[in-house]
Each structure stands twice: as C-alpha cells, then as structure tokens.
Amino acid sequence: EDLDALAGLAGDMLAVAGVRPGDLFQLTLPMGTSLWIAGLCFWLGFQRRGAGTIRFGPGDSHGQLETARRFKADGFFLTAGFAVRLGQVAAATGQMDGLSVRKLLVVNENILQPDRTRNETGRLIESLWPSARVSAVYGNTEFGFCGAECAEQQGFHTHPGMHYFEVLDPETGEPLEDGKPGRMVGTSLVYRGLPLIRYAIDDVTSLVRGPCDCGRTSERFGGI
C-alpha cells in the first residue's frame, strides 16, 4: 500500500514539474538496487503520469547522449552534478544539436538559493542546456518524491494529501514564521508500514504560503 501511495505521489509531483502524458524521459539513476526509493519510486511515478522511460542508469555520458538522440528523449531525470557533466560533454562533442531534450528534472543536489532563485550550479545547468526547462525536484528516503518546482520557479510545491511539513526553530522546536529558515520536519498522512510524525529531516529551508503564479495553492518550501 505504501509503494502504491509513493507511486501516486511521484506521478502527481511529476505533473507539477511539467511532465506530460506521452513524454519520454531518460532515467540516469540506478535501478539495480530495486527497493532504493530514488530508482523505483520515480520509475513508477512516470508510469502513473503516463510517460515513457528509458532506464539507462548512471554514468557513461557518451552513451547517454547517443541513446537520448536515437530514441528522441524529451528529457533527462538526473542529479545536478551529472546535468553539468552531460551538458559539458554534449557541448564539447557537438551532440547537443542532435538532441530533442526540452526538460531536465534535477534531483539530489540543490540548485536553489534560499530566495528560490537559481544558485551557481543551477545557473550553470541552464547555460549548458539553453533549450531545456530545468526543474528542481526534491525527495528523501523517508517521504519519497515530495517536492517539485513548477514553471513559475517559486519554490518546491508539496502534496497536501500526502504530507504535512513544518519549519521549526532548531533551539526551541517552535514553528517559525513563513519565510524564515529553520529545521524541516514532516508528518506522513498515508503511510502505514512506517508512520512518521514530525520526523526531523533536518534539511534547512523556509515555508512559503499563498497562491503560486501557476494557480496552485499548496504550501511550498524554498531552497535546501
């Protein structure tokens, strides 16, 4: 039941990040350890969204680019460091022109500053991939794929039906006002195998409330 909930959550978050039914994404995360959340959860999420996947796995920049070109991949799902590496190799070898990639979903390494604008790594990725929309996505082992940046780039949208997140003062444990950075904790609303109540993720972030320009009204959080 928890895996089914995680797959549904991932599908909803991919929709926020701009993945459309019929898209084809190349997954560069390992699937060999089949229960690792970042491999299995995301792969199932793409299926829930109605998108296709090329399960390439990590590494092999030249092979990644050639495969994406041959199968006309719409996007990559990858870490920030590999997005930089892949962009550099594509530019150096002239392979960028043969790609149809228009979306990059960047996970694992933060590309947002506290004010939700791009940090140095985020700006570098966008400069290397000028034809692609770069979206930051967020997740962790305990909560799954639980944050996604929409096209308006105003922070990570959350899923109000799945989790309840708070940002606390690290000294007192009291909730902080919106926009003030503190200790991130989360409560799961649906998980049965491992219920989590005010679980201290210990990432540092800040909450953002109010409607986003995309029209969504769910709570958001800023850069990690």
Side-chain angles (χ1 to χ4, degrees):
E1 291 178 13
D2 285 356
L3 184 58
D4 186 65
L6 278 169
L9 166 67
D12 289 347
M13 291 289 96
L14 288 171
V16 173
V19 177
R20 301 179 303 206
D23 281 347
L24 180 64
F25 269 78
Q26 191 156 312
L27 309 187
T28 71
L29 301 176
M31 286 290 295
T33 51
S34 61
L35 294 182
W36 183 49
I37 198 73
L40 187 60
C41 174
F42 291 132
W43 175 59
L44 291 172
F46 277 100
Q47 294 182 43
R48 290 296 181 92
R49 184 58 183 146
T53 55
I54 303 168
R55 289 169 51 185
F56 192 100
D60 187 7
S61 299
H62 294 282
Q64 297 268 11
L65 294 167
E66 173 59 19
T67 300
R69 183 193 64 79
R70 287 178 58 203
F71 290 99
K72 297 180 173 58
D74 298 296
F76 282 105
F77 193 101
L78 69 186
T79 66
F82 196 46
V84 171
R85 171 64 179 166
L86 209 57
Q88 291 172 336
V89 171
T93 58
Q95 291 176 278
M96 189 67 78
D97 292 340
L99 298 174
S100 56
V101 172
R102 51 186 173 79
K103 297 176 186 173
L104 296 181
L105 302 185
V106 178
V107 70
N108 188 254
E109 302 157 66
N110 187 42
I111 62 170
L112 304 183
Q113 300 188 102
D115 64 358
R116 306 186 298 281
T117 60
R118 293 287 185 263
N119 63 17
E120 184 178 358
T121 302
R123 293 193 299 272
L124 177 58
I125 294 171
E126 290 185 331
S127 69
L128 290 167
W129 297 89
S131 299
R133 168 184 158 188
V134 178
S135 294
V137 297
Y138 172 82
N140 53 58
T141 298
E142 292 82 5
F143 287 97
F145 182 7
C146 51
E149 188 184 38
C150 72
E152 301 298 329
Q153 299 183 347
Q154 296 182 9
F156 293 103
H157 284 276
T158 62
H159 195 305
M162 295 290 293
H163 305 120
Y164 177 69
F165 290 107
E166 302 170 86
V167 175
L168 308 181
D169 185 307
E171 299 297 329
T172 67
E174 294 298 315
L176 291 171
E177 61 188 69
D178 295 351
K180 189 170 183 179
R183 184 187 201 190
M184 185 180 188
V185 303
T187 297
S188 65
L189 304 179
V190 296
Y191 300 158
R192 297 167 60 88
L194 183 63
L196 298 168
I197 300 174
R198 303 193 90 192
Y199 179 85
I201 301 168
D202 272 348
D203 281 341
V204 175
T205 189
S206 61
L207 277 180
V208 184
R209 301 179 206 266
C212 176
D213 288 345
C214 73
R216 295 180 177 88
T217 58
S218 60
E219 293 178 349
R220 289 164 281 142
F221 52 92
I224 303 298

